[in-house]
Amino acid sequence: MPNRLLNIKDGHNFRDLGGYQTTDGRTVKWRQLLRTGSLANLGNTDLTTLARIPVTQDIDLRGQAEVQQVPDQVPQTATYYHLPVFAEDETDASHSNEEIAKQMQEPGNGYRHMLTVYSRMVTIPSARKAFRQMFNHLLSNPNGATIFHCTAGKDRTGMATFLILSALGVPRETILKDYLLTNEVTADFRKSWLTQMKAQMPATPATDILINNRRALASVNIDYLKTAIGAINDQYGNVQHYLSDYLELSNEELHELRDHYLE
């Protein structure tokens, strides 16, 4: 069985969605759907690894400013598509420490901010357009793998993964486990990053509040995704109606998606 975590040296949270079973007994194909963090720092070794798969589509869910600041390093085998979920990064994954510190002075601000972000990810027009176009590209990629990513590979990417796996018929429990896997595979990186940040700041209660808020921003929480699911259920009844009524995926398209990505 292939490894779920890809062997990428200069990137974080590169994972394969292959191997997940669906409710009808089929399985998601390996090396077809790759959810990842930023491709901006990939070197030649990593690009060669992705080209050998081969990755043929790179779907970038980041905002325009993020793309301009740190553009993707695109495998030579892939076509690049920019599909911004937000016009600007609302997840704070790309914002400076100074920008975030101004917003994160109150206890719980990080957690509350992410609840708002997830609610908006399933309701705003730019997200609807991005996710619909994402499915269009998945349907038009008969050969090779698709990478879809944001900056940290956890929020916009996590929502995209939820929608893709839901469309393929993967059980909700499996999808939630995949979502939370981000915390496991990025644990060392996040711990080192937060420890270094705290060491550079004065030891005050305000510092502790800021660090706790940054921890909430840098990780995933089941409450975040369930907030999005709740918004979907409130407006459309369930995710299948969201896919068919809001994203306008036809039954034929859903069948085609499953035929291509399941075995």
Side-chain angles (χ1 to χ4, degrees):
M1 179 183 296
N3 289 328
R4 186 163 308 285
L5 193 62
L6 299 181
N7 184 26
I8 297 296
K9 301 182 184 304
D10 296 313
H12 299 284
N13 212 6
F14 279 63
R15 286 150 48 197
D16 194 322
L17 296 181
Y20 289 136
Q21 291 194 331
T22 64
T23 54
D24 64 359
R26 289 189 284 180
T27 304
V28 179
K29 293 178 181 178
W30 289 98
R31 299 301 188 257
Q32 293 285 294
L33 296 167
L34 310 177
R35 56 166 298 172
T36 81
S38 173
L39 276 63
N41 297 317
L42 299 186
N44 289 334
T45 299
D46 291 332
L47 291 171
T48 298
T49 296
L50 297 177
R52 284 175 177 167
I53 290 176
V55 170
T56 52
Q57 291 192 139
D58 169 14
I59 294 177
D60 188 344
L61 302 172
R62 299 177 298 163
Q64 184 62 39
E66 295 172 88
V67 172
Q68 291 177 342
Q69 290 169 7
V70 279
D72 275 6
Q73 298 298 315
V74 182
Q76 63 179 4
T77 52
T79 302
Y80 174 83
Y81 300 100
H82 181 214
L83 309 181
V85 172
F86 298 115
E88 298 179 1
D89 176 21
E90 297 189 17
T91 68
D92 288 320
S94 66
H95 291 166
S96 69
N97 291 334
E98 292 76 13
E99 289 174 314
I100 295 174
K102 292 177 182 178
Q103 306 171 29
M104 295 297 154
Q105 299 298 323
E106 297 294 328
N109 268 9
Y111 173 83
R112 289 189 291 270
H113 174 72
M114 295 309 296
L115 296 181
T116 300
V117 166
Y118 274 73
S119 180
R120 284 174 54 76
M121 268 201 289
V122 293
T123 56
I124 62 174
S126 61
R128 177 182 183 272
K129 180 179 179 181
F131 292 136
R132 172 65 239 206
Q133 289 181 338
M134 175 189 72
F135 278 108
N136 288 345
H137 289 306
L138 291 177
L139 287 163
S140 64
N141 188 38
N143 300 304
T146 297
I147 270 185
F148 58 98
H149 76 94
C150 49
T151 293
K154 65 184 187 69
D155 301 314
R156 289 163 288 188
T157 303
M159 182 54 58
T161 301
F162 169 76
L163 295 174
I164 292 169
L165 293 181
S166 295
L168 294 176
V170 174
R172 178 68 52 80
E173 181 182 359
T174 301
I175 298 174
L176 297 181
K177 287 181 179 179
D178 177 83
Y179 173 75
L180 291 174
L181 188 57
T182 283
N183 286 343
E184 180 180 333
V185 302
T186 64
D188 291 343
F189 169 77
R190 288 182 294 111
K191 182 179 180 179
S192 174
W193 173 65
L194 289 169
T195 299
Q196 183 179 17
M197 184 184 301
K198 189 172 184 177
Q200 295 172 346
M201 302 174 68
T204 68
T207 294
D208 290 336
I209 291 171
L210 177 60
I211 293 298
N212 286 335
N213 282 326
R214 292 302 297 264
R215 183 177 291 109
L217 294 175
S219 58
V220 294
N221 184 314
I222 203 64
D223 293 350
Y224 302 165
L225 187 55
K226 286 188 174 180
T227 293
I229 295 171
I232 287 172
N233 292 344
D234 287 345
Q235 295 192 43
Y236 297 96
N238 57 45
V239 68
Q240 297 305 322
H241 283 139
Y242 180 87
L243 293 167
S244 62
D245 299 344
Y246 187 63
L247 296 186
E248 298 182 341
L249 284 166
S250 68
N251 286 332
E252 291 77 12
E253 287 173 321
L254 288 169
H255 284 302
E256 183 180 346
L257 197 73
R258 292 166 186 163
D259 285 343
H260 180 67
Y261 290 102
L262 300 178
E263 57 187 6

